[in-house]
Amino acid sequence: MTENSRQRITKAVVDRLQLDHTIRDTELRGFGVRRQQGQASYFLQKRVKGRVRWITIGIHGSPWTPESARKEAHRLLGRVADGQDPQTERQQDRAKPTVREATEKFLANHGPKVKPLTREHYTRMLRGHVLPRFGTRKIEEIVRSDVSQLHAAMVDSPSAANVTLAVLSKFMTWAEMHGLRPEHSNPCRGIKKYREKKRERFLSREEFAKLGEVLDRAEADQLAGLFSVAAIRLLTLTGARLNEILTLKWSYVDLERGALRLPDSKTGQKSIRLSAQAVLILTNLPRLNENAYVLPGHITGQPIVNLQKAWRRIRGAAGLHDVRIHDLRHSFASVAAASGASLPMIGALLGHSQPQTTARYAHLANDPLNQLNQDIGDVIAASMATKSRVREKI
């Protein structure tokens, strides 16, 4: 049977409180403390809209003390005076999802609407950077200062910080659309991204030669297997994206017309032209009956998953330590530009959907124009010099 008494609630009173005893405060009506199952907890008992409500404030100890619990009781009484029901509000708050819960819904509901690589990208950014910081918090609690602090904490990786900010913004906009946050409350708005230095690395003719030498002996030196070497050669000769080559199936390959017919890519359906050298590589590759992929991996029926380890060994042997796999695509474009290709032509070869994506190669495309301009100038100058000598003789 619970025993009740009335006195001013202090720490000494709470410490002496016996099991199944309840003390009601003499100063603040409705405020009290009771000990059940060995723990003392603070509460507020108040009639709300004709019904008696027992509202638990919290268990005695950090952070709840008689003073902080009394202050919270005052706040709750203010809510009641405003016509609100704190107990119902708390139940509603408990039902609101955390960032982690909302993230899983986002990936499950929105994920199938985007390309697999985009979904993997979202997953990696959210689970790698957002959830460790905000996972247990309610999604509607996240404000701009929280996101700003996350972005600032990633200052040493500006590119990753900017990408994380973009993914988080997409997630928050989705949350608004699904009623998990108030409209127009995206906390990512107004946060300035870091200025990123565009990295441009193109292989020179000498570096292409070094890479070719290493690839020729890669299998013998156990730097990479047959299919990994073929993957690097195809990336170099086609300018294709890494995933386009690794997930290439034989059914996409049209050797007769010299093209790869991709049913889907980063920019949708796409054709990649094949040079005679690329066709030769594909012609000489063995086909595995149990694997539909051009570049089979170690798991039966699956393609190569990771080319990075093989690439690091090969680039190291070639002395190209700062060259990324994606730089092979840039190098393909640089050779095209140096050969006189226009920006639209380069964009068509690379499968760019937006002209501004190709614009990064504008300065390279100017090289053959500069040379042509010089050649024209030489011809004109030589012609004018000849006429001048003729006049001198007359």
Side-chain angles (χ1 to χ4, degrees):
M1 181 177 178
T2 301
E3 294 189 19
N4 294 273
S5 61
R6 296 181 64 85
Q7 55 184 304
R8 187 179 187 282
I9 296 175
T10 63
K11 182 178 182 303
V13 169
V14 175
D15 289 340
R16 292 195 303 269
L17 187 62
Q18 300 296 310
L19 184 64
D20 292 330
H21 280 227
T22 298
I23 295 177
R24 297 177 185 277
D25 193 64
T26 54
E27 294 184 0
L28 182 60
R29 187 177 181 81
F31 176 50
V33 62
R34 57 184 175 180
R35 186 179 295 278
Q36 295 176 314
Q37 299 178 350
Q39 292 182 315
S41 61
Y42 300 99
F43 66 88
L44 177 67
Q45 185 181 12
K46 186 67 177 176
R47 185 175 295 276
V48 181
K49 297 179 181 180
R51 299 179 60 185
V52 175
R53 296 292 199 189
W54 280 77
I55 305 171
T56 300
I57 294 175
I59 296 174
H60 175 67
S62 181
W64 296 111
T65 64
E67 292 74 20
S68 61
R70 189 186 303 276
K71 184 180 296 185
E72 175 65 6
H74 273 292
R75 189 190 71 80
L76 292 172
L77 287 171
R79 298 292 293 166
V80 173
D82 290 338
Q84 305 300 318
D85 185 343
Q87 189 175 60
T88 301
E89 290 178 353
R90 286 190 173 189
Q91 291 172 347
Q92 292 174 344
D93 286 341
R94 283 194 291 268
K96 293 177 181 177
T98 62
V99 172
R100 185 179 303 279
E101 292 167 343
T103 295
E104 296 307 316
K105 290 182 180 179
F106 171 71
L107 295 174
N109 298 339
H110 183 71
K113 299 178 182 179
V114 298
K115 295 181 183 298
L117 276 180
T118 303
R119 184 164 62 251
E120 291 178 15
H121 179 67
Y122 285 170
T123 302
R124 186 168 62 254
M125 291 297 108
L126 290 171
R127 293 179 178 172
H129 300 290
V130 176
L131 293 186
R133 198 175 188 96
F134 303 139
T136 59
R137 294 179 58 184
K138 300 293 185 181
I139 186 171
E140 70 170 13
E141 295 176 357
I142 306 303
V143 296
R144 184 178 299 172
S145 60
D146 296 320
V147 179
S148 180
Q149 290 172 15
L150 168 63
H151 194 243
M154 300 176 68
V155 63
D156 293 334
S157 304
S159 179
N162 290 343
V163 171
T164 299
L165 180 64
V167 172
L168 182 57
S169 180
K170 181 73 175 180
F171 167 58
M172 289 297 180
T173 298
W174 172 89
E176 288 183 25
M177 292 175 58
H178 288 76
L180 304 181
R181 287 183 60 91
E183 289 187 11
H184 312 299
S185 68
N186 190 330
C188 300
R189 292 196 184 100
I191 296 178
K192 188 176 181 180
K193 292 184 177 181
Y194 292 115
R195 178 177 294 180
E196 297 180 48
K197 184 178 180 181
K198 294 295 183 182
R199 184 183 186 278
E200 293 186 350
R201 178 66 166 90
F202 311 111
L203 295 183
S204 65
R205 290 193 176 186
E206 292 76 13
E207 289 174 329
F208 271 121
K210 290 179 182 178
L211 177 59
E213 291 174 5
V214 173
L215 289 174
D216 286 341
R217 54 184 174 81
E219 288 186 74
D221 292 351
Q222 296 184 335
L223 295 174
L226 168 67
F227 295 112
S228 293
V229 171
I232 294 172
R233 288 190 183 279
L234 288 172
L235 288 167
T236 305
L237 290 168
T238 63
R241 297 181 177 89
L242 176 60
N243 191 62
E244 293 170 347
I245 293 300
L246 293 189
T247 61
L248 183 65
K249 293 184 177 181
W250 283 112
S251 58
Y252 306 161
V253 179
D254 187 344
L255 292 177
E256 183 177 346
R257 294 178 176 79
L260 305 178
R261 314 289 186 188
L262 306 183
D264 193 20
S265 71
K266 183 179 179 180
T267 54
Q269 190 174 1
K270 174 182 178 181
S271 291
I272 297 177
R273 293 167 176 79
L274 297 175
S275 62
Q277 295 84 349
V279 168
L280 183 60
I281 291 172
L282 289 166
T283 301
N284 292 334
L285 276 179
R287 303 193 185 196
L288 305 185
N289 293 329
E290 70 278 9
N291 202 316
Y293 291 97
V294 173
L295 302 167
H298 296 299
I299 301 176
T300 302
Q302 296 298 313
I304 294 176
V305 176
N306 188 352
L307 193 63
Q308 295 296 340
K309 291 183 179 179
W311 172 246
R312 283 194 289 269
R313 290 193 291 267
I314 287 173
R315 75 177 182 184
L320 305 174
H321 302 283
D322 65 329
V323 179
R324 306 166 303 173
I325 288 181
H326 195 69
D327 292 330
L328 299 178
R329 178 171 166 85
H330 295 325
S331 298
F332 177 90
S334 73
V335 173
S339 300
S342 65
L343 290 182
M345 292 173 66
I346 295 172
L349 287 173
L350 296 179
H352 289 162
S353 59
Q354 300 295 330
Q356 56 264 35
T357 308
T358 317
R360 68 184 304 176
Y361 304 110
H363 68 289
L364 297 174
N366 285 331
D367 290 346
L369 292 177
N370 292 337
Q371 184 59 50
L372 176 60
N373 185 62
Q374 183 60 49
D375 293 343
I376 294 171
D378 290 343
V379 171
I380 293 174
S383 177
M384 292 175 69
T386 301
K387 292 180 179 179
S388 296
R389 286 194 295 271
V390 170
R391 290 195 193 94
E392 289 175 1
K393 291 181 179 179
I394 294 175

